[in-house]
Amino acid sequence: AFPDMCPPPLDGDTSRTNARREEAALLAQREGPQGSASDALSCANAELRASRIHKLLLIVDSNAHQFLDNNDTEQTALHNQTALFERGSKITHSCRPNLEYNLKRTATTGAQEHIAIRPIEAGDELTDSYITDYWTTPTLERRAQLLYTKDFVCGCERCCAPDDCRGVRCLSCSGLAFPPEPEGEIFFCVKCGPIPPKRAAELARLEVELAARLGEMQRLVEGPGGIHAVSPSSISALAREAAAKLSPVHYLVPRVFNFAADTFASHASALDNIPPSVSARLFYTPPPPKHTLAQTRP
């Protein structure tokens, strides 16, 4: 069942395909019977084995599903915990899928489970997303991630439409404008048409600037200072600024809020680990002063 799954083109020239081709050649030489350099049949068999191994390696890269042990999370799971399923691994990718893969259920039952996340009519193609966070990832990033991990450029319906993750506020009608092209700096409002070039350039600059500030915060949290390197108030301020200057539906807003939730949870966890004696001193609130009413003499 597995050999009929679709891998990327075997003669492709991507870094992943080339690396797997070299790995397949080494495995074919190691596993197959050795013949002399003049043995044409032995060389042909080695090439055939290498081609089959190459195809199998690319099938695993493109179609295998990650699964988790009972105590694992997506952050702690080992990258080599993957499996190929006879039917489920043939489900087509879409950035607007109608199914979602249940990582945890696979580990507990040994079976693959997909859950419908929107209505599916009879005859509809079943689709799943090969990447996570697809609702808060713009088209260009999704395509780059899929090209790197799965060796294909996504051409799903969502990727071929205006980028719904980069919606910005139209100042003329208070509606939303979206870029028709993933790499473009042109924003198009359905009611008003193209956003003026000066305003569009400013929006594109703001996207880059706000994304860079979020990236810097994330780097600081991952550095020596840890969660205390960035204050929760500064993260909240960045989310409010992105919502005000771009729009509340722009992908940077939920991305900042997700980062804020992780950071706030880490702060709360750190406070839970403070000894009670220290916590009492840190959060001690003095009692209010006692006020005495002046007694008036009769």
Side-chain angles (χ1 to χ4, degrees):
F2 301 144
D4 65 349
M5 294 182 182
C6 295
L10 299 183
D11 58 352
D13 193 28
T14 64
S15 58
R16 180 178 296 274
T17 303
N18 291 333
R20 290 305 196 190
R21 185 182 295 111
E22 295 177 2
E23 184 178 354
L26 293 175
L27 290 172
Q29 293 176 2
R30 185 190 310 167
E31 300 297 332
Q34 300 298 316
S36 64
S38 60
D39 190 345
L41 180 60
S42 177
C43 291
N45 289 337
E47 291 178 2
L48 181 60
R49 285 194 303 273
S51 177
R52 290 176 175 174
I53 294 172
H54 187 207
K55 180 179 180 180
L56 181 59
L57 291 174
L58 291 177
I59 284 175
V60 172
D61 288 340
S62 303
N63 299 278
H65 284 70
Q66 182 187 16
F67 68 93
L68 306 180
D69 290 332
N70 291 333
N71 297 323
D72 274 337
T73 65
E74 290 188 53
Q75 287 72 33
T76 61
L78 298 176
H79 293 295
N80 62 350
Q81 294 184 140
T82 57
L84 284 171
F85 297 88
E86 183 176 359
R87 296 183 180 178
S89 292
K90 297 178 182 178
I91 294 177
T92 302
H93 164 81
S94 172
C95 293
R96 188 180 285 120
N98 51 28
L99 297 176
E100 187 170 276
Y101 176 55
N102 187 347
L103 292 172
K104 204 68 177 182
R105 183 59 61 89
T106 299
T108 57
T109 67
Q112 186 188 42
E113 179 181 272
H114 282 84
I115 303 171
I117 57 175
R118 58 188 178 90
I120 301 174
E121 301 293 337
D124 287 352
E125 182 181 18
L126 299 179
T127 58
D128 185 17
S129 176
Y130 295 172
I131 59 176
T132 58
D133 300 328
Y134 48 89
W135 290 122
T136 56
T137 304
T139 303
L140 198 61
E141 288 187 26
R142 294 197 309 271
R143 283 181 164 175
Q145 187 174 347
L146 287 165
L147 180 61
Y148 178 75
T149 60
K150 302 296 183 181
D151 257 1
F152 72 89
V153 176
C154 185
C156 73
E157 180 183 5
R158 185 180 174 209
C159 282
C160 294
D163 194 343
D164 55 13
C165 282
R166 295 177 60 201
V168 296
R169 186 180 288 106
C170 175
L171 298 182
S172 299
C173 68
S174 298
L176 291 174
F178 300 90
E181 299 294 333
E183 301 182 29
E185 295 184 359
I186 298 175
F187 294 85
F188 192 90
C189 176
V190 176
K191 293 182 180 179
C192 307
I195 298 295
K198 185 176 180 180
R199 165 68 175 162
E202 174 66 11
L203 290 169
R205 184 193 65 79
L206 283 171
E207 283 186 310
V208 174
E209 176 189 323
L210 295 172
R213 286 166 57 187
L214 174 59
E216 180 61 23
M217 288 183 177
Q218 292 170 329
R219 284 189 291 272
L220 288 173
V221 169
E222 294 171 358
I227 59 174
H228 303 292
V230 178
S231 67
S233 59
S234 64
I235 305 175
S236 300
L238 180 60
R240 291 193 297 269
E241 184 178 355
K245 293 184 176 180
L246 297 174
S247 81
V249 301
H250 193 279
Y251 80 94
L252 282 173
V253 177
R255 187 170 287 187
V256 174
F257 276 128
N258 288 338
F259 174 60
D262 293 339
T263 306
F264 294 163
S266 299
H267 274 275
S269 177
L271 291 176
D272 288 341
N273 294 327
I274 296 177
S277 58
V278 178
S279 178
R281 292 196 301 271
L282 288 175
F283 303 105
Y284 172 74
T285 302
K290 294 182 179 180
H291 297 281
T292 58
L293 296 176
Q295 296 181 356
T296 58
R297 295 181 179 180

PDB file of all heavy atoms in Angstrom, residues 65 85 87-89 91 98-102 105-106 111-117 126-129:
ATOM      1  N   HIS A  65       2.669  10.687   9.446  1.00  0.00           N
ATOM      2  CA  HIS A  65       2.006  11.494  10.453  1.00  0.00           C
ATOM      3  C   HIS A  65       2.749  11.379  11.784  1.00  0.00           C
ATOM      4  O   HIS A  65       3.110  10.280  12.202  1.00  0.00           O
ATOM      5  CB  HIS A  65       0.557  11.044  10.658  1.00  0.00           C
ATOM      6  CG  HIS A  65      -0.368  11.472   9.564  1.00  0.00           C
ATOM      7  ND1 HIS A  65      -0.316  10.933   8.288  1.00  0.00           N
ATOM      8  CD2 HIS A  65      -1.364  12.389   9.545  1.00  0.00           C
ATOM      9  CE1 HIS A  65      -1.245  11.494   7.535  1.00  0.00           C
ATOM     10  NE2 HIS A  65      -1.896  12.379   8.272  1.00  0.00           N
ATOM     11  N   PHE A  85       0.043   5.476   7.411  1.00  0.00           N
ATOM     12  CA  PHE A  85      -1.234   4.786   7.483  1.00  0.00           C
ATOM     13  C   PHE A  85      -1.729   4.500   6.067  1.00  0.00           C
ATOM     14  O   PHE A  85      -1.579   5.326   5.165  1.00  0.00           O
ATOM     15  CB  PHE A  85      -2.259   5.626   8.245  1.00  0.00           C
ATOM     16  CG  PHE A  85      -1.879   5.868   9.685  1.00  0.00           C
ATOM     17  CD1 PHE A  85      -1.091   6.952  10.045  1.00  0.00           C
ATOM     18  CD2 PHE A  85      -2.306   4.996  10.678  1.00  0.00           C
ATOM     19  CE1 PHE A  85      -0.743   7.171  11.372  1.00  0.00           C
ATOM     20  CE2 PHE A  85      -1.956   5.207  12.001  1.00  0.00           C
ATOM     21  CZ  PHE A  85      -1.170   6.293  12.346  1.00  0.00           C
ATOM     22  N   ARG A  87      -4.569   4.413   4.519  1.00  0.00           N
ATOM     23  CA  ARG A  87      -5.502   5.336   3.874  1.00  0.00           C
ATOM     24  C   ARG A  87      -5.324   6.778   4.364  1.00  0.00           C
ATOM     25  O   ARG A  87      -5.331   7.707   3.562  1.00  0.00           O
ATOM     26  CB  ARG A  87      -6.946   4.877   4.133  1.00  0.00           C
ATOM     27  CG  ARG A  87      -7.275   3.527   3.506  1.00  0.00           C
ATOM     28  CD  ARG A  87      -8.724   3.155   3.740  1.00  0.00           C
ATOM     29  NE  ARG A  87      -9.056   1.866   3.152  1.00  0.00           N
ATOM     30  CZ  ARG A  87     -10.241   1.272   3.232  1.00  0.00           C
ATOM     31  NH1 ARG A  87     -11.219   1.865   3.903  1.00  0.00           N
ATOM     32  NH2 ARG A  87     -10.453   0.103   2.672  1.00  0.00           N
ATOM     33  N   GLY A  88      -5.187   6.925   5.670  1.00  0.00           N
ATOM     34  CA  GLY A  88      -5.106   8.279   6.216  1.00  0.00           C
ATOM     35  C   GLY A  88      -3.929   9.076   5.707  1.00  0.00           C
ATOM     36  O   GLY A  88      -4.018  10.306   5.573  1.00  0.00           O
ATOM     37  N   SER A  89      -2.821   8.406   5.395  1.00  0.00           N
ATOM     38  CA  SER A  89      -1.637   9.120   4.915  1.00  0.00           C
ATOM     39  C   SER A  89      -1.764   9.564   3.463  1.00  0.00           C
ATOM     40  O   SER A  89      -0.859  10.222   2.945  1.00  0.00           O
ATOM     41  CB  SER A  89      -0.388   8.237   5.075  1.00  0.00           C
ATOM     42  OG  SER A  89      -0.095   8.063   6.447  1.00  0.00           O
ATOM     43  N   ILE A  91      -4.466  11.345   2.491  1.00  0.00           N
ATOM     44  CA  ILE A  91      -5.373  12.499   2.490  1.00  0.00           C
ATOM     45  C   ILE A  91      -4.647  13.729   1.963  1.00  0.00           C
ATOM     46  O   ILE A  91      -3.513  14.015   2.332  1.00  0.00           O
ATOM     47  CB  ILE A  91      -5.918  12.756   3.910  1.00  0.00           C
ATOM     48  CG1 ILE A  91      -6.810  11.592   4.335  1.00  0.00           C
ATOM     49  CG2 ILE A  91      -6.697  14.058   3.969  1.00  0.00           C
ATOM     50  CD1 ILE A  91      -7.343  11.712   5.746  1.00  0.00           C
ATOM     51  N   ASN A  98     -10.958  20.293   5.893  1.00  0.00           N
ATOM     52  CA  ASN A  98     -12.217  19.937   6.551  1.00  0.00           C
ATOM     53  C   ASN A  98     -12.011  18.850   7.606  1.00  0.00           C
ATOM     54  O   ASN A  98     -12.956  18.416   8.255  1.00  0.00           O
ATOM     55  CB  ASN A  98     -13.278  19.497   5.530  1.00  0.00           C
ATOM     56  CG  ASN A  98     -12.769  18.426   4.580  1.00  0.00           C
ATOM     57  OD1 ASN A  98     -11.889  17.639   4.927  1.00  0.00           O
ATOM     58  ND2 ASN A  98     -13.313  18.407   3.364  1.00  0.00           N
ATOM     59  N   LEU A  99     -10.753  18.409   7.781  1.00  0.00           N
ATOM     60  CA  LEU A  99     -10.412  17.429   8.804  1.00  0.00           C
ATOM     61  C   LEU A  99      -9.249  17.938   9.638  1.00  0.00           C
ATOM     62  O   LEU A  99      -8.452  18.763   9.174  1.00  0.00           O
ATOM     63  CB  LEU A  99     -10.011  16.087   8.177  1.00  0.00           C
ATOM     64  CG  LEU A  99     -11.038  15.323   7.357  1.00  0.00           C
ATOM     65  CD1 LEU A  99     -10.392  14.087   6.755  1.00  0.00           C
ATOM     66  CD2 LEU A  99     -12.233  14.936   8.197  1.00  0.00           C
ATOM     67  N   GLU A 100      -9.155  17.424  10.846  1.00  0.00           N
ATOM     68  CA  GLU A 100      -8.003  17.698  11.699  1.00  0.00           C
ATOM     69  C   GLU A 100      -7.515  16.392  12.307  1.00  0.00           C
ATOM     70  O   GLU A 100      -8.315  15.587  12.785  1.00  0.00           O
ATOM     71  CB  GLU A 100      -8.369  18.692  12.801  1.00  0.00           C
ATOM     72  CG  GLU A 100      -7.177  19.157  13.626  1.00  0.00           C
ATOM     73  CD  GLU A 100      -7.526  20.309  14.539  1.00  0.00           C
ATOM     74  OE1 GLU A 100      -7.508  21.467  14.074  1.00  0.00           O
ATOM     75  OE2 GLU A 100      -7.843  20.047  15.713  1.00  0.00           O
ATOM     76  N   TYR A 101      -6.220  16.201  12.277  1.00  0.00           N
ATOM     77  CA  TYR A 101      -5.607  14.962  12.775  1.00  0.00           C
ATOM     78  C   TYR A 101      -5.461  15.020  14.279  1.00  0.00           C
ATOM     79  O   TYR A 101      -4.959  15.999  14.828  1.00  0.00           O
ATOM     80  CB  TYR A 101      -4.246  14.790  12.089  1.00  0.00           C
ATOM     81  CG  TYR A 101      -3.434  13.611  12.556  1.00  0.00           C
ATOM     82  CD1 TYR A 101      -3.955  12.328  12.536  1.00  0.00           C
ATOM     83  CD2 TYR A 101      -2.126  13.787  13.003  1.00  0.00           C
ATOM     84  CE1 TYR A 101      -3.197  11.243  12.952  1.00  0.00           C
ATOM     85  CE2 TYR A 101      -1.357  12.716  13.409  1.00  0.00           C
ATOM     86  CZ  TYR A 101      -1.900  11.441  13.389  1.00  0.00           C
ATOM     87  OH  TYR A 101      -1.157  10.367  13.805  1.00  0.00           O
ATOM     88  N   ASN A 102      -5.899  13.974  14.957  1.00  0.00           N
ATOM     89  CA  ASN A 102      -5.809  13.892  16.410  1.00  0.00           C
ATOM     90  C   ASN A 102      -4.529  13.165  16.789  1.00  0.00           C
ATOM     91  O   ASN A 102      -4.453  11.947  16.740  1.00  0.00           O
ATOM     92  CB  ASN A 102      -7.035  13.159  16.967  1.00  0.00           C
ATOM     93  CG  ASN A 102      -7.085  13.194  18.480  1.00  0.00           C
ATOM     94  OD1 ASN A 102      -6.109  13.554  19.145  1.00  0.00           O
ATOM     95  ND2 ASN A 102      -8.222  12.827  19.041  1.00  0.00           N
ATOM     96  N   ARG A 105      -4.852  10.776  20.160  1.00  0.00           N
ATOM     97  CA  ARG A 105      -5.655   9.560  20.072  1.00  0.00           C
ATOM     98  C   ARG A 105      -4.878   8.427  19.409  1.00  0.00           C
ATOM     99  O   ARG A 105      -5.041   7.261  19.760  1.00  0.00           O
ATOM    100  CB  ARG A 105      -6.947   9.846  19.286  1.00  0.00           C
ATOM    101  CG  ARG A 105      -7.898   8.657  19.190  1.00  0.00           C
ATOM    102  CD  ARG A 105      -8.321   8.169  20.557  1.00  0.00           C
ATOM    103  NE  ARG A 105      -9.022   9.203  21.299  1.00  0.00           N
ATOM    104  CZ  ARG A 105     -10.337   9.388  21.244  1.00  0.00           C
ATOM    105  NH1 ARG A 105     -11.079   8.623  20.474  1.00  0.00           N
ATOM    106  NH2 ARG A 105     -10.890  10.330  21.954  1.00  0.00           N
ATOM    107  N   THR A 106      -3.999   8.745  18.479  1.00  0.00           N
ATOM    108  CA  THR A 106      -3.219   7.709  17.822  1.00  0.00           C
ATOM    109  C   THR A 106      -2.362   6.945  18.816  1.00  0.00           C
ATOM    110  O   THR A 106      -2.230   5.732  18.751  1.00  0.00           O
ATOM    111  CB  THR A 106      -2.326   8.326  16.731  1.00  0.00           C
ATOM    112  OG1 THR A 106      -3.164   8.946  15.771  1.00  0.00           O
ATOM    113  CG2 THR A 106      -1.494   7.270  16.044  1.00  0.00           C
ATOM    114  N   ALA A 111      -4.584   3.643  16.504  1.00  0.00           N
ATOM    115  CA  ALA A 111      -5.271   3.900  15.238  1.00  0.00           C
ATOM    116  C   ALA A 111      -5.216   5.390  14.928  1.00  0.00           C
ATOM    117  O   ALA A 111      -5.097   6.222  15.823  1.00  0.00           O
ATOM    118  CB  ALA A 111      -6.719   3.438  15.303  1.00  0.00           C
ATOM    119  N   GLN A 112      -5.311   5.708  13.646  1.00  0.00           N
ATOM    120  CA  GLN A 112      -5.315   7.102  13.233  1.00  0.00           C
ATOM    121  C   GLN A 112      -6.733   7.645  13.279  1.00  0.00           C
ATOM    122  O   GLN A 112      -7.685   6.964  12.911  1.00  0.00           O
ATOM    123  CB  GLN A 112      -4.763   7.237  11.811  1.00  0.00           C
ATOM    124  CG  GLN A 112      -4.610   8.676  11.354  1.00  0.00           C
ATOM    125  CD  GLN A 112      -4.253   8.750   9.887  1.00  0.00           C
ATOM    126  OE1 GLN A 112      -4.811   8.020   9.084  1.00  0.00           O
ATOM    127  NE2 GLN A 112      -3.329   9.622   9.544  1.00  0.00           N
ATOM    128  N   GLU A 113      -6.868   8.872  13.749  1.00  0.00           N
ATOM    129  CA  GLU A 113      -8.198   9.481  13.833  1.00  0.00           C
ATOM    130  C   GLU A 113      -8.151  10.887  13.262  1.00  0.00           C
ATOM    131  O   GLU A 113      -7.301  11.696  13.635  1.00  0.00           O
ATOM    132  CB  GLU A 113      -8.677   9.527  15.281  1.00  0.00           C
ATOM    133  CG  GLU A 113     -10.058  10.168  15.434  1.00  0.00           C
ATOM    134  CD  GLU A 113     -10.513  10.221  16.874  1.00  0.00           C
ATOM    135  OE1 GLU A 113     -11.132   9.242  17.324  1.00  0.00           O
ATOM    136  OE2 GLU A 113     -10.226  11.225  17.550  1.00  0.00           O
ATOM    137  N   HIS A 114      -9.064  11.160  12.346  1.00  0.00           N
ATOM    138  CA  HIS A 114      -9.276  12.510  11.838  1.00  0.00           C
ATOM    139  C   HIS A 114     -10.659  12.971  12.289  1.00  0.00           C
ATOM    140  O   HIS A 114     -11.617  12.193  12.258  1.00  0.00           O
ATOM    141  CB  HIS A 114      -9.190  12.555  10.310  1.00  0.00           C
ATOM    142  CG  HIS A 114      -7.790  12.536   9.789  1.00  0.00           C
ATOM    143  ND1 HIS A 114      -7.075  11.374   9.610  1.00  0.00           N
ATOM    144  CD2 HIS A 114      -6.955  13.550   9.410  1.00  0.00           C
ATOM    145  CE1 HIS A 114      -5.875  11.655   9.139  1.00  0.00           C
ATOM    146  NE2 HIS A 114      -5.772  12.966   9.022  1.00  0.00           N
ATOM    147  N   ILE A 115     -10.758  14.226  12.684  1.00  0.00           N
ATOM    148  CA  ILE A 115     -12.008  14.792  13.172  1.00  0.00           C
ATOM    149  C   ILE A 115     -12.482  15.855  12.186  1.00  0.00           C
ATOM    150  O   ILE A 115     -11.705  16.712  11.762  1.00  0.00           O
ATOM    151  CB  ILE A 115     -11.814  15.415  14.565  1.00  0.00           C
ATOM    152  CG1 ILE A 115     -11.272  14.364  15.544  1.00  0.00           C
ATOM    153  CG2 ILE A 115     -13.113  16.018  15.089  1.00  0.00           C
ATOM    154  CD1 ILE A 115     -10.843  14.942  16.878  1.00  0.00           C
ATOM    155  N   ALA A 116     -13.760  15.813  11.821  1.00  0.00           N
ATOM    156  CA  ALA A 116     -14.322  16.832  10.934  1.00  0.00           C
ATOM    157  C   ALA A 116     -14.404  18.154  11.674  1.00  0.00           C
ATOM    158  O   ALA A 116     -14.919  18.220  12.794  1.00  0.00           O
ATOM    159  CB  ALA A 116     -15.703  16.410  10.452  1.00  0.00           C
ATOM    160  N   ILE A 117     -13.887  19.216  11.064  1.00  0.00           N
ATOM    161  CA  ILE A 117     -13.897  20.528  11.709  1.00  0.00           C
ATOM    162  C   ILE A 117     -14.839  21.504  11.004  1.00  0.00           C
ATOM    163  O   ILE A 117     -14.989  22.641  11.448  1.00  0.00           O
ATOM    164  CB  ILE A 117     -12.470  21.125  11.767  1.00  0.00           C
ATOM    165  CG1 ILE A 117     -11.856  21.238  10.370  1.00  0.00           C
ATOM    166  CG2 ILE A 117     -11.586  20.295  12.678  1.00  0.00           C
ATOM    167  CD1 ILE A 117     -10.495  21.920  10.358  1.00  0.00           C
ATOM    168  N   LEU A 126     -11.816  14.854   1.092  1.00  0.00           N
ATOM    169  CA  LEU A 126     -11.334  14.988   2.464  1.00  0.00           C
ATOM    170  C   LEU A 126      -9.939  15.601   2.439  1.00  0.00           C
ATOM    171  O   LEU A 126      -9.063  15.143   1.702  1.00  0.00           O
ATOM    172  CB  LEU A 126     -11.305  13.625   3.159  1.00  0.00           C
ATOM    173  CG  LEU A 126     -12.651  12.905   3.281  1.00  0.00           C
ATOM    174  CD1 LEU A 126     -12.475  11.568   3.971  1.00  0.00           C
ATOM    175  CD2 LEU A 126     -13.674  13.762   4.017  1.00  0.00           C
ATOM    176  N   THR A 127      -9.738  16.627   3.237  1.00  0.00           N
ATOM    177  CA  THR A 127      -8.449  17.321   3.258  1.00  0.00           C
ATOM    178  C   THR A 127      -7.994  17.541   4.696  1.00  0.00           C
ATOM    179  O   THR A 127      -8.798  17.664   5.621  1.00  0.00           O
ATOM    180  CB  THR A 127      -8.542  18.677   2.541  1.00  0.00           C
ATOM    181  OG1 THR A 127      -9.550  19.477   3.177  1.00  0.00           O
ATOM    182  CG2 THR A 127      -8.883  18.507   1.078  1.00  0.00           C
ATOM    183  N   ASP A 128      -6.696  17.594   4.854  1.00  0.00           N
ATOM    184  CA  ASP A 128      -6.063  17.839   6.147  1.00  0.00           C
ATOM    185  C   ASP A 128      -4.928  18.823   5.915  1.00  0.00           C
ATOM    186  O   ASP A 128      -4.441  18.969   4.791  1.00  0.00           O
ATOM    187  CB  ASP A 128      -5.540  16.519   6.723  1.00  0.00           C
ATOM    188  CG  ASP A 128      -4.980  16.672   8.122  1.00  0.00           C
ATOM    189  OD1 ASP A 128      -5.271  17.694   8.770  1.00  0.00           O
ATOM    190  OD2 ASP A 128      -4.239  15.775   8.565  1.00  0.00           O
ATOM    191  N   SER A 129      -4.505  19.516   6.957  1.00  0.00           N
ATOM    192  CA  SER A 129      -3.369  20.423   6.829  1.00  0.00           C
ATOM    193  C   SER A 129      -2.108  19.723   7.301  1.00  0.00           C
ATOM    194  O   SER A 129      -2.096  19.128   8.381  1.00  0.00           O
ATOM    195  CB  SER A 129      -3.595  21.698   7.644  1.00  0.00           C
ATOM    196  OG  SER A 129      -2.446  22.526   7.585  1.00  0.00           O
TER     197      SER A 129
END
